[in-house]
Amino acid sequence: MNVVIVESPAKAKTINKYLGKGYEVYASFGHVRDLPSKDGSVDPANDFAMKWEVDAKSNKRLSDIAKAVKDAKTVILATDPDREGEAISWHVLEILRGKQVLKDKRVERVVFNAVTKDAVRDAMKHPREIDAALVEAYLARRALDYLVGFTLSPVLWRKLPGARSAGRVQSVALRLVCDRELEIEKFVAREYWSLVAHLQTKDGAPFTARLVGADDKRINRLDVGNADEAAAFKAALEKAAFTVRSVEAKPAKRHPYAPFTTSTLQQEASRKLGFAPARTMQIAQRLYEGVDIDGETVGLITYMRTDGVDMVPEAIASARKVIASEYGQEYLPGAPRKYTAKSKNAQEAHEAIRPTDMDRLPNHVARQLEPEQQKLYELIWTRTLASQMESAELERTTAEIEAKAGGRRIDLRATGQVVRFDGFLALYQEGRDDEEDDESGRLPPMKEGDALKRDKIEATQHFTEPPPRFTEATLVKRMEELGIGRPSTYASTLAVLRDRDYVRIDKKRLYPEDKGRLVVAFLESFFARYVEYDFTADLEEKLDQVSNHEIDWKQVLRDFWLDFSGAVDETKDLRTTEVLDSLNDLLGPHIFPSKADGSNPRACPSCNDGQLSLKVGKFGAFIGCSNYPECRYTRTLTPPDPNAPEGEKPGVKVLGRDPETGAEVTLRDGRFGAYIQLGEPEEEGDKPKRVSLPKDLKAEEVTLEKALKLLALPREVAKHPESGEPILAGIGRYGPYVQHGRTYANLGRDDDVLEIGANRAIDLIVAKESGRGGGRFGSAPAGRGLGEHPEGGAIAIKLGRFGAYVNWGKINATIPRGTNPDELTLDQAVELLRAKASGAPAAGDGKVLGDHPAGGKIVLREGRYGPYVSHGKINATIPKSIAPDAISLQDAIELIDAKGGATPARKSAARKAPTKKPAAKRATAKTPAKKAAKAAASASKPAKRARG
């Protein structure tokens, strides 16, 4: 028997079908070990010795693999063909050696660029050893990332509270976003005017011409800078006679784009499909690892992490055959097209991303694919096919127009472009990130010397615009241009910036948060070299040289650590005032923008004497006055709105005055959200009355009337029917509630703390006290009995923190919204419990996505903390990167299995699996069945694959 080891169960399932008897395929579920998140995992003093740690889940999988290897003849490592794949194979091999299960067994490393039967079987015929240079490049990269993160992040925490972390690549990517924002803030708009003449040929055909010169001088786009100049040109043109001076038509060609690399796929999927880079890679991973097509599992695309742009001759021939049959011979160039990578460090050593079979047209597989998979496959297929099609043939026409007005000669130009032959444009056009001038359109026939008729002259005012903010697509493009990061790191780098709240995305554009700008400003001030674009790119190049056997990886680490550790030591004695002074200077245009009246932007608006400066508190940075404690003026880093009413404080909106006390009622921005405050503290240490806004009340909806009602909380809404004591309504740490003595009951989603009436409040309290719900912070009481379950045991209705539910033994089933718990019958309760036990939803309780491979329904549900999927007793939260309405069954299976491991259903399925081998072999056969049922989440774990 031969044991084959790959990364994911999806890939294992596909390959197992190709290899057949004599092979057992196991999945490692990505990386099996990592550097522990603590000091000492990389030891520079001990020649950068690295301590690895295997996590609990991987331990179990590795034990299964080791058990299988004991009885194997050959161990075949078939992980992905890049540096990360090589590293996973190396880690697995090292662990197996440590378990002493290899002995005299043959170990082979095989790679394939596509998960197809031919590619896999061919790879098995050409094994090799693990590439030590690729592993060393991985080790160097991982050590560098660890040393930067675990050395630099503590410095940030000490000197800049509120900062999360710094990273070797993430900090440079963040700097790109912050630098662009600074450019925008510093940008000064410049006025300019365009002049366009609307003309007609002698045959009456209309066209337009733009001003390009006057009196033998060229006029550029920004040269007409004010209304007076524009008016003078307009007046002259309105009196002028227009003549065609020359007409020139030039043929031009537009060539097709190269097939996709990782970077260009992420960019185009963002532009055309709206996919985030991380989502693009998840979908591409599934297309690569295998999809069921007509009863056969087959990989639809080649490996998706690549810098390469060329294709193997067989793929080119297949593409040319499809072009000829689908579009005709005129769309087929005379010779195949060859592409070369523009990046000098194209090191992923693969083909471009392409379909594994060009004859598999998008419309042929659409029904077998999920919607997102179909869209991405079609994008890859059309780009690949277009790359081998004939060039588009264009004709660009330029007409020079002369306008004579008295003694002046004014020059205008008209341009047009027409497509003579569409070529590859018949199939594919690359998307644009930002709008550009378009010359499309045909000019009417005219010839030199023709007189032209003037219809009208337009003078239009414009203002220059700042550079656009990055989208995820344009940021990936810029990182690639600068040589920052590699194909396997782009998506994970962007995800880290979002997850740590360093950037936010609004209308697809990346905006740096104040937290992110502080981190970049700090690093630029005290670790400038390590966030320089050239330095990061040079380090990437050295890592590439390691993978090419050109330099020693330990020497790269020594050279880096010598300078880096010195830079860190220099910051140990830095005083907070030095840090803040430096940040004040760097962030000045952002936190202290210039005022329209030219006054000092750092002057304190409260005392008019102090100087505003960055301050550091327990919860992060803020702006405060230098005259503290005499002046207690503070604000957030974001500058106040210049259009706010005069005298209004930043972050403070005056709503009016309390009619009883005359105190000012204000809406304020706090560290934990918006709140309402009554008056100001009279003495130091005094705390005015404050109340947080309910979650469903937006700050812009708060009026004085609502604010006064909130300030009146807690309010009495009723008297208890038995004790006569008041029942109060208020807002607490866990949200709106009603209270009677020591009994608290949370309000429902449809209850308004300001409007709740006596009857509803009494119902909630009585339900809590009568045992239909638990204490607010404790366990649930016995509840109201409904009767006996048909299988034995009592059924009760209880009221929990998340609403009413029915309970039978260890099974709890939520009562659907809209169903009155008091009217629920025993039969209805039994049905809810059966549905819960089987994993199927009751009516109104979620959406069935499909069946789990091990049996039972997978259901999409809405929870208090967001949407989740459930299977039996296992619930898995849906990540932010996946839209709930777009989640696929495969997504859900991976989330469930990554969360829950083997459920009883899976174990049962494994026990029932047929076997023809003797008992000694059955244990071996059962392990792959278990692992296949666990359905890997490798596509949902990009952070474990990609470092930096």
Side-chain angles (χ1 to χ4, degrees), residues 140-155:
R141 181 182 294 274
R142 191 68 194 93
L144 286 169
D145 292 341
Y146 172 90
L147 291 171
V148 171
F150 278 84
T151 307
L152 204 50
S153 294
V155 177

Side-chain angles (χ1 to χ4, degrees), residues 389-402:
M389 292 177 76
E390 187 61 88
S391 299
E393 296 177 6
L394 314 173
E395 184 181 88
R396 292 173 180 156
T397 305
T398 302
E400 301 292 347
I401 311 298
E402 182 178 85

Side-chain angles (χ1 to χ4, degrees), residues 736-945:
Y737 64 88
V738 287
Q739 171 197 1
H740 170 240
R742 298 184 64 183
T743 300
Y744 291 82
N746 292 320
L747 299 192
R749 292 181 181 178
D750 298 327
D751 294 320
D752 185 339
V753 70
L754 298 178
E755 304 295 337
I756 188 170
N759 291 337
R760 173 62 173 158
I762 291 171
D763 285 346
L764 289 171
I765 290 295
V766 171
K768 214 46 157 331
E769 293 176 336
S770 65
R772 283 182 284 160
R776 191 173 187 209
F777 307 107
S779 59
R784 178 170 70 88
L786 278 180
E788 289 289 311
H789 193 283
E791 297 178 20
I795 297 176
I797 293 180
K798 297 184 178 182
L799 190 63
R801 185 175 177 187
F802 305 110
Y805 63 95
V806 289
N807 166 258
W808 174 55
K810 294 184 179 180
I811 299 177
N812 298 322
T814 302
I815 296 176
R817 196 181 308 169
T819 301
N820 188 338
D822 294 329
E823 299 175 357
L824 192 75
T825 66
L826 177 61
D827 289 342
Q828 289 173 322
V830 170
E831 182 59 33
L832 288 171
L833 291 165
R834 282 177 177 166
K836 178 69 175 180
S838 68
D845 184 29
K847 171 187 173 184
V848 177
L849 296 176
D851 293 323
H852 192 282
K857 302 291 184 184
I858 293 181
V859 187
L860 170 65
R861 291 185 166 99
E862 184 66 40
R864 182 169 184 181
Y865 300 107
Y868 66 96
V869 289
S870 66
H871 175 237
K873 295 183 180 180
I874 299 175
N875 299 324
T877 302
I878 297 175
K880 293 180 181 178
S881 59
I882 303 177
D885 56 354
I887 190 169
S888 66
L889 176 61
Q890 184 62 32
D891 287 330
I893 291 172
E894 292 182 0
L895 290 170
I896 288 289
D897 292 348
K899 180 71 180 288
T903 64
R906 292 182 186 80
K907 293 177 181 177
S908 176
R911 282 196 296 270
K912 293 176 184 177
T915 175
K916 296 181 181 178
K917 300 204 173 185
K921 296 290 183 182
R922 279 202 297 271
T924 304
K926 189 162 71 172
T927 302
K930 286 183 181 179
K931 299 183 82 60
K934 287 186 181 177
S938 61
S940 63
K941 295 184 180 180
K944 283 193 83 175
R945 277 196 52 83

Side-chain angles (χ1 to χ4, degrees), residues 30-46:
H31 277 282
V32 294
R33 63 180 185 176
D34 199 0
L35 298 171
S37 299
K38 58 186 180 182
D39 288 337
S41 295
V42 177
D43 186 4
N46 191 20

Side-chain angles (χ1 to χ4, degrees), residues 243-265:
T243 308
V244 179
R245 190 191 315 158
S246 66
V247 179
E248 183 179 24
K250 287 184 177 180
K253 282 193 174 185
R254 185 180 296 175
H255 303 296
Y257 307 98
F260 282 129
T261 63
T262 302
S263 160
T264 54
L265 176 63

